[in-house]
Amino acid sequence: MSTSAYRRCRREQRAWRFRHFMTDPGTYRYGATVLAASTVLSSLWLAVIR
């Protein structure tokens, strides 16, 4: 397998993974969870340092 073909294959694989990641509902659930957790933690942290 030539290097350029290998690289193209890898790029297509990465593009597919990215598309799959963007269309997966679990991704958004995870993102929302992380966002909520960071918001809660930052508000707690502000309450502590005040």
Side-chain angles (χ1 to χ4, degrees):
M1 194 166 178
S2 67
T3 317
S4 58
Y6 173 74
R7 223 176 280 146
R8 191 170 62 241
C9 176
R10 291 285 294 173
R11 195 166 56 236
E12 278 167 17
Q13 212 175 22
R14 203 164 42 233
W16 179 85
R17 238 200 328 259
F18 181 71
R19 257 201 312 276
H20 181 71
F21 181 75
M22 290 317 251
T23 53
D24 186 15
T27 302
Y28 296 103
R29 251 203 310 279
Y30 176 75
T33 307
V34 169
L35 199 67
S38 62
T39 306
V40 169
L41 282 174
S42 60
S43 59
L44 278 174
W45 176 243
L46 284 173
V48 165
I49 59 174
R50 240 181 228 138

